[in-house]
Amino acid sequence: MTLEGKSIAILIAPRGTEEPEFSKPKRAVEDAGGKVTVVSFEPGKARTVNGDLDEGGSYTIDKTFSEVKADDFDGLVVPGGTVGADKLRGSDEAIGFIRAFFDQKKPVAAICHAPWTLIEAGVLKGRTLTSYPTLKVDIENAGGAWTNEEVVVDNGLVTSRDPNDLPAFCAKLVEEIAAGN
């Protein structure tokens, strides 16, 4: 499956985004030939975390939320991390950016705690998805149906539970972006 000619945004929240949930989908998109743009709050570099507490890698931020719009991309990846997802859902700019992908019916992939951002964006009503198990009630309260599966695809929305699901998550997100739902 190839993503040649496709442009994908991946979000990062400094000192909050979970390392493998950021780096592995980024690599999967790049390995499939897609162009990745790392988007965050401020220019510069952002450090990820491992297990929400331990320091992860440092990544260059390509664009800030104020410099991008969903029109510029073919798909979006929202990594998890409890702190990272919480920082993202607290930002009107980030939530507006995420919501625009749904408005334009473009593929979105969200893993672990990242569906918190989808709840905040108000885009889960009538959708089936998975997440880290502690988000089950939040998702149901937002009108979504939660299921405990490795990867769930619902009309271009790809979700997974945690880093253990990354192989299936990465494969499905590449597939959905390639299909261009």
Side-chain angles (χ1 to χ4, degrees), residues 51-108:
D52 284 327
L53 301 173
D54 299 326
E55 198 169 273
S58 182
Y59 296 89
T60 299
I61 296 163
D62 299 313
K63 300 273 185 177
T64 63
F65 287 110
S66 63
E67 298 174 309
V68 294
K69 54 190 184 306
D71 297 348
D72 302 333
F73 301 98
D74 299 297
L76 173 66
V77 177
V78 187
T82 309
V83 174
D86 195 55
K87 286 180 179 181
L88 290 169
R89 74 177 174 161
S91 163
D92 290 341
E93 276 186 317
I95 295 306
F97 184 63
I98 292 166
R99 187 181 299 116
F101 280 85
F102 286 88
D103 292 345
Q104 295 177 23
K105 298 182 179 9
K106 291 184 176 180
V108 174

Side-chain angles (χ1 to χ4, degrees), residues 4-136:
E4 287 296 331
K6 301 275 188 177
S7 183
I8 292 82
I10 186 168
L11 307 186
I12 190 168
R15 288 179 297 288
T17 295
E18 191 68 23
E19 167 76 26
E21 295 173 11
F22 173 84
S23 62
K24 290 188 178 184
K26 180 178 184 293
R27 187 172 335 116
V29 168
E30 291 168 340
D31 288 350
K35 179 187 181 305
V36 175
T37 301
V38 179
V39 181
S40 192
F41 306 106
E42 299 173 353
K45 290 200 174 276
R47 188 165 288 287
T48 59
V49 295
N50 285 296
D52 284 327
L53 301 173
D54 299 326
E55 198 169 273
S58 182
Y59 296 89
T60 299
I61 296 163
D62 299 313
K63 300 273 185 177
T64 63
F65 287 110
S66 63
E67 298 174 309
V68 294
K69 54 190 184 306
D71 297 348
D72 302 333
F73 301 98
D74 299 297
L76 173 66
V77 177
V78 187
T82 309
V83 174
D86 195 55
K87 286 180 179 181
L88 290 169
R89 74 177 174 161
S91 163
D92 290 341
E93 276 186 317
I95 295 306
F97 184 63
I98 292 166
R99 187 181 299 116
F101 280 85
F102 286 88
D103 292 345
Q104 295 177 23
K105 298 182 179 9
K106 291 184 176 180
V108 174
I111 187 168
C112 201
H113 285 80
W116 267 343
T117 65
L118 310 182
I119 293 166
E120 197 69 33
V123 297
L124 294 185
K125 191 171 180 73
R127 289 190 176 265
T128 299
L129 65 153
T130 193
S131 69
Y132 196 75
T134 59
L135 275 66
K136 177 182 187 233

